[in-house]
Amino acid sequence: MSNRIMNSFFIFFYVMTSHLFSTQADSTIDIHNNCPFTVWAAAVPHGRGGRQLEYGETWIIEVNTTKSGRIWGRTNCNFNTLGRGQCQTGDCNGLLECQTFSSTPPNTLAEYTLNQDTNNDFFDISLLEGFNIPMEFSPASADECSARIRCTADIIGQCPNELRTPGGCNSPCTVFKTNEYCCTSGNCGPTNYSNFFKRRCSTSYSYPTDDSTSTFFCPSGSGTNYRVVFCP
């Protein structure tokens, strides 16, 4: 075999193997519905955006390295055969398969950023857009990492009257739209409303700068897999 052919072969082999490993998923996230009702899960940017989950069903999405994303559940949805319709909570522009990070509050959010410079994955549950479904976000196996976040309190039943909305409990930012609650200046602290959420879900984000007690991490070097459970 000539040197030119050999060189072409090795170049082809290098390109193909590089492509294989560059597109290979580092982690998976199992999204499981344990609620006694249908949840229309949303996962952006991974997982093609959304899927209907009946009780007991699981949707597995693959997450590539250095990616950030969010997962939430939508309730009381109706979609046509084209995947267009509307949800009472968590709606994303009337689409079954959500295309952007934006959604219509209230919705409990699972957020993640993987494989950061510190060789850690960061993840959290956020109530900054309100609450609609109890949630757990954790590594798929305790052998991988022991961090575990749960928000399972009866927030809807105990929601302050001014934050109540059909199917959920709004955040104060959604209702009042002021800097005190939305932190548009970047300088804000806890409020009576954020304390309502924090007392019930102590490991979840209750206001925008609530980082110290609300962000969790696991090592990313081993490709830790994760699990989001609705109604754990």
Side-chain angles (χ1 to χ4, degrees):
M1 185 180 291
S2 70
N3 287 338
R4 178 178 296 178
I5 295 175
M6 286 290 292
N7 289 339
S8 298
F9 172 79
F10 284 117
I11 291 172
F12 174 79
F13 179 79
Y14 174 80
V15 170
M16 292 304 294
T17 53
S18 297
H19 176 72
L20 172 64
F21 288 104
S22 66
T23 58
Q24 191 175 39
D26 268 16
S27 300
T28 61
I29 301 180
D30 294 359
I31 305 171
H32 180 74
N33 181 24
N34 197 49
C35 299
F37 51 83
T38 305
V39 173
W40 286 261
V44 178
H46 309 98
R48 294 187 61 207
R51 181 171 297 186
Q52 179 178 324
L53 295 177
E54 302 297 338
Y55 167 73
E57 291 186 334
T58 299
W59 176 28
I60 301 175
I61 63 173
E62 295 182 342
V63 183
N64 294 325
T65 59
T66 66
K67 292 293 186 180
S68 297
R70 55 168 37 181
I71 296 166
W72 69 96
R74 296 166 288 173
T75 59
N76 295 322
C77 303
N78 284 292
F79 293 103
N80 61 23
T81 56
L82 299 176
R84 296 184 179 275
Q86 191 172 19
C87 299
Q88 184 181 54
T89 66
D91 188 77
C92 54
N93 298 315
L95 299 175
L96 171 61
E97 296 183 354
C98 301
Q99 304 298 313
T100 67
F101 284 93
S102 63
S103 55
T104 303
N107 46 277
T108 317
L109 286 172
E111 303 175 311
Y112 59 88
T113 302
L114 304 184
N115 198 34
Q116 296 306 288
D117 293 339
T118 55
N119 292 320
N120 285 316
D121 298 337
F122 294 91
F123 62 103
D124 66 80
I125 290 177
S126 173
L127 305 180
L128 299 186
E129 296 186 6
F131 176 97
N132 68 333
I133 301 175
M135 180 185 286
E136 179 180 297
F137 195 1
S138 64
S141 169
D143 294 335
E144 296 178 308
C145 181
S146 61
R148 186 176 302 271
I149 320 170
R150 290 170 65 96
C151 181
T152 58
D154 183 21
I155 289 179
I156 296 177
Q158 300 170 11
C159 185
N161 288 333
E162 53 272 38
L163 303 183
R164 287 182 179 272
T165 190
C169 184
N170 273 320
S171 73
C173 176
T174 298
V175 174
F176 302 111
K177 298 178 174 62
T178 62
N179 177 64
E180 179 184 8
Y181 302 117
C182 301
C183 200
T184 51
S185 68
N187 183 20
C188 62
T191 66
N192 288 337
Y193 290 117
S194 71
N195 287 334
F196 162 78
F197 289 102
K198 198 67 174 178
R199 284 194 298 267
R200 288 156 180 79
C201 291
S202 61
T203 56
S204 300
Y205 268 90
S206 60
Y207 63 96
T209 57
D210 186 18
D211 301 289
S212 61
T213 60
S214 308
T215 300
F216 295 80
F217 67 90
C218 287
S220 56
S222 59
T224 303
N225 298 311
Y226 295 91
R227 181 174 171 85
V228 171
V229 181
F230 302 123
C231 303

